[in-house]
Amino acid sequence: MEIVEYISQAVIKTLNLELNPNTPVFIGKSNIEHIKNRHPYEFDKFYRDIGLIINSPDYVGLNPKDDSILFVKLYRVNGEYIRVAVRIASNGKCFAKTLHSLSTCNAERYIEKGTLKRLDAN
């Protein structure tokens, strides 16, 4: 298990999370395998950026189904929204559980509904 990044004060404040600033985000082998197997395009193209997406997302939100933290970055060159979902375990540890694309229409709908909030300050 390795640390991929830390959750910033800006994200904690924007989402009203009960976490300490700089809480580490871990990723385990099973999560890496999940991304490789279920989202091979994203793994090949964006896995190396997982820390960057968590560190400087364009949008953040909470998944209404499981309260995982959503970090979304818009890659302007090819217009792709890439999402990293981080779940908070019962012991307070945070784990990156997946990395995948969001369609533009879904991303824009989530932004419009307020599910995803613009993160201006990191």
Side-chain angles (χ1 to χ4, degrees):
M1 191 171 326
E2 65 178 287
I3 295 174
V4 291
E5 192 49 69
Y6 298 86
I7 299 175
S8 73
Q9 176 63 37
V11 170
I12 292 167
K13 186 177 175 187
T14 300
L15 298 176
N16 296 316
L17 298 173
E18 292 187 23
L19 292 173
N20 292 321
N22 299 316
T23 295
V25 176
F26 297 91
I27 193 162
K29 288 182 181 179
S30 64
N31 300 107
I32 295 169
E33 287 303 312
H34 163 81
I35 297 166
K36 258 188 216 180
N37 294 330
R38 297 287 302 273
H39 310 289
Y41 166 78
E42 291 87 344
F43 181 84
D44 290 343
K45 194 162 183 182
F46 299 104
Y47 182 77
R48 71 183 180 285
D49 290 350
I50 198 165
L52 172 73
I53 296 167
I54 293 169
N55 183 51
S56 58
D58 294 309
Y59 300 93
V60 293
L62 290 174
N63 183 329
K65 293 180 184 147
D66 65 5
D67 282 336
S68 57
I69 308 167
L70 307 174
F71 297 85
V72 178
K73 187 145 196 79
L74 171 59
Y75 283 79
R76 299 190 195 289
V77 174
N78 38 2
E80 291 180 275
Y81 287 91
I82 303 300
R83 175 167 71 181
V84 174
V86 172
R87 87 176 156 82
I88 304 169
S90 57
N91 64 4
K93 277 190 168 181
C94 295
F95 295 90
K97 64 180 193 172
T98 194
L99 163 85
H100 60 87
S101 305
L102 269 180
S103 70
T104 300
C105 70
N106 279 345
E108 289 172 353
R109 189 171 15 147
Y110 295 148
I111 293 163
E112 198 174 292
K113 284 174 39 182
T115 304
L116 289 176
K117 299 170 182 0
R118 186 108 176 88
L119 190 69
D120 295 316
N122 294 326

